[in-house]
Amino acid sequence: MAKRIGILTGGGDCPGLNAVLRAAGKTLLGRGLEVVGFEDGFLGVMEKRFRVLRNSDLSGILSTGGTILGTSNRDNPFAWKPRTPEFKDAANTDCSDQVVALARELQLEGLIVIGGDGSLSIADRLVREKNIRCIGVPKTIDNDLSATDVTFGFDTAVAIATICIDRLHSTAMSHHRVMVVEVMGRYAGWIALFAGVAGGGDVILLPELPYRMEVVNQTLLERSTTGKRFSLVVVAEGAKAADGDLVVNKVVKDSPDPLRLGGIGQMLVNQIEDATGLEARVSVLGHLQRGGSPTAHDRLLATEFGARAARLAMEGGWDQMVAFRGGQYASVPLSDAVRQLKRVPLDHSLITAARSVGTSFGDA
Ligand code: F6P
């Protein structure tokens, strides 16, 4: 029987997932291995929903958004309950032995997990506690995984956010308004920093640099009194005031990531209008940043990552995550991948460059 490798996409979707599936799948099939794709991430593993992938499943998907396998971001085998109505109020329990049983039943050599910190943490536990061989592929628009310099999806999110900021510029100019643009990124400000600088944001607010509202207001007022009758404020969803808290849209019970961030943009608009008398509006870019076709850069990164993950699986390089570090492709122990979130360092050269062209980070 041909060797069999499982593959799944977990967590929030991200441009480039299909490009990774295509590259990993075609590489494995080309060498005579069988590929079993689990549907909807770890939910499909728990519910035994999977299909054998053929070359035809993997054709024509390089440039497409989403994931042909589907995904889910709250199904952790180590703390899980079925998604049927009778379990609605039940507590989560450790069901990870079901993964072991299924891997045995399907005679899987191992599993390629394409995911962010949540899915890669599960993969790491499966390796350490259940002896299931895994290979990780780092995915997230947030770019917040510390063991790789870059994740696929980030470039696309930045490109989309930048296009949106450009478009908001012209309406801000026409109406002489302050436009506040809220971008994603969870507890890291990578998208806000990169898209904010690329889009020429006048104020950029990052989770890593708590802001002072009086500084933000002062910057906007100074611009309006010196002939700049509009301003663009780019705010990360995870930014917070030096004397304030994270702005949380909803606390989700039983979720590995219970804080659903969001709402800081509208809060800023209210505070700016009240304190300065300037007219302001908010645009929350939300899931537009992660839907749709990946950029060329993300297609290339995803293709390299996918092909490398497949090669690691064939060569027995299990329990590693593929990565890009210091200008080179590499693989790192899966356990390193999830140790720490990668946040924007305060001495990042882009912060320095932005400050030198007059951008305010609301901090001084
Ligand atoms: O991690 C990716 C991301 O898009 C974050 O930037 C955002 O906070 C979160 O996922 C939103 O996830 P969802 O709406 O899928 O719960």
Side-chain angles (χ1 to χ4, degrees), residues 12 73 140-142 184-186 191 237 260-261 287 290:
N73 51 3
T140 167
I141 63 165
D142 303 336
M184 282 185 163
R186 286 204 306 174
I191 299 176
E237 61 181 358
R260 197 176 290 167
L261 300 177
H287 297 80
R290 56 183 227 211

Side-chain angles (χ1 to χ4, degrees), residues 13-307:
D13 70 338
C14 174
L17 284 170
N18 284 335
V20 177
L21 289 171
R22 169 181 175 270
K26 287 193 170 192
T27 305
L28 293 167
L29 292 177
R31 294 279 292 272
L33 281 83
E34 241 178 47
V35 184
V36 176
F38 290 95
E39 295 171 1
D40 303 339
F42 283 105
L43 178 62
V45 178
M46 303 312 291
E47 294 181 344
K48 289 190 163 191
R49 287 189 288 109
F50 53 83
R51 56 185 194 264
V52 172
L53 298 180
R54 314 258 171 241
N55 263 310
S56 55
D57 298 309
L58 305 169
S59 278
I61 62 170
L62 172 63
S63 61
T64 59
T67 157
I68 57 163
L69 287 179
T71 188
S72 70
N73 51 3
R74 61 182 164 97
D75 293 279
N76 176 356
F78 291 94
W80 192 75
K81 63 181 178 190
R83 285 213 195 173
T84 46
E86 64 268 34
F87 285 92
K88 194 173 137 287
D89 298 318
N92 286 329
T93 55
D94 184 348
C95 302
S96 53
D97 282 337
Q98 284 178 230
V99 186
V100 180
L102 184 61
R104 220 171 268 149
E105 188 187 319
L106 295 176
Q107 298 183 22
L108 293 183
E109 285 277 305
L111 190 59
I112 297 179
V113 176
I114 311 167
D117 61 334
S119 308
L120 296 177
S121 300
I122 295 170
D124 182 44
R125 282 191 75 181
L126 288 173
V127 169
R128 288 187 290 107
E129 297 174 28
K130 298 288 158 184
N131 224 2
I132 293 188
R133 295 145 142 194
C134 291
I135 287 169
V137 181
K139 161 243 67 154
T140 167
I141 63 165
D142 303 336
N143 195 35
D144 60 355
L145 291 175
S146 58
T148 182
D149 294 347
V150 66
T151 53
F152 69 88
F154 173 62
D155 185 67
T156 309
V158 169
I160 297 293
T162 303
I163 290 171
C164 294
I165 295 168
D166 288 349
R167 288 179 169 266
L168 291 167
H169 241 115
S170 62
T171 168
M173 282 170 77
S174 308
H175 283 271
H176 318 299
R177 282 175 176 158
V178 177
M179 293 300 299
V180 176
V181 192
E182 180 180 314
V183 299
M184 282 185 163
R186 286 204 306 174
Y187 308 110
W190 294 103
I191 299 176
L193 177 63
F194 278 55
V197 174
D202 305 298
V203 177
I204 299 175
L205 303 178
L206 308 176
E208 293 83 355
L209 256 175
Y211 65 87
R212 298 210 336 259
M213 202 56 220
E214 62 275 19
V215 176
V216 174
N217 288 333
Q218 187 59 32
T219 306
L220 300 175
L221 281 172
E222 271 169 19
R223 277 179 58 81
S224 77
T225 52
T226 52
K228 300 275 175 63
R229 296 176 64 204
F230 71 95
S231 290
L232 259 291
V233 177
V234 179
V235 60
E237 61 181 358
K240 60 177 184 173
D243 56 357
D245 293 319
L246 277 174
V247 182
V248 176
N249 180 14
K250 188 174 176 180
V251 178
V252 190
K253 221 177 100 219
D254 276 345
S255 166
D257 191 7
L259 298 188
R260 197 176 290 167
L261 300 177
I264 190 167
Q266 184 60 53
M267 189 184 91
L268 284 173
V269 160
N270 296 341
Q271 292 174 340
I272 291 166
E273 287 198 332
D274 289 350
T276 65
L278 298 169
E279 199 185 352
R281 294 286 190 276
V282 65
S283 271
V284 181
L285 302 189
H287 297 80
L288 288 171
Q289 292 158 100
R290 56 183 227 211
S293 183
T295 57
H297 173 277
D298 278 337
R299 294 179 202 184
L300 300 178
L301 190 57
T303 299
E304 288 263 12
F305 277 172

